[in-house]
Amino acid sequence: MRESLRQKAIEICDKKIAQKGEGVGISFYAFFKNKNDAPDILMEAAQWWIEKHQLDHFEKAVKIKTMIEKGL
């Protein structure tokens, strides 16, 4: 996962956790606006989430942040 996407994902996880607590779930769509203005980055996130890690549609933001920080 490219560094810019990693940083954005961590920021989004931090924001969601701060707003709704450590039990909040997210999907990789949370890392993007409702507008598909970066399809290559969206596909990169989808591949990381679905193909590489076989995650469910919604996962705990804390789990995703930890995975990203560990470089998984």
Side-chain angles (χ1 to χ4, degrees), residues 4-43:
S4 60
L5 180 54
R6 291 171 51 82
Q7 290 302 317
K8 183 175 185 175
I10 290 170
E11 288 173 16
I12 296 295
C13 287
D14 284 341
K15 181 180 176 183
K16 296 290 186 182
I17 293 166
Q19 288 175 340
K20 298 187 179 187
E22 291 191 4
V24 68
I26 61 167
S27 77
F28 67 89
Y29 289 112
F31 307 146
F32 301 92
K33 297 177 182 176
N34 287 337
K35 190 175 186 181
N36 189 9
D37 56 357
D40 58 326
I41 300 172
L42 177 65
M43 288 304 297

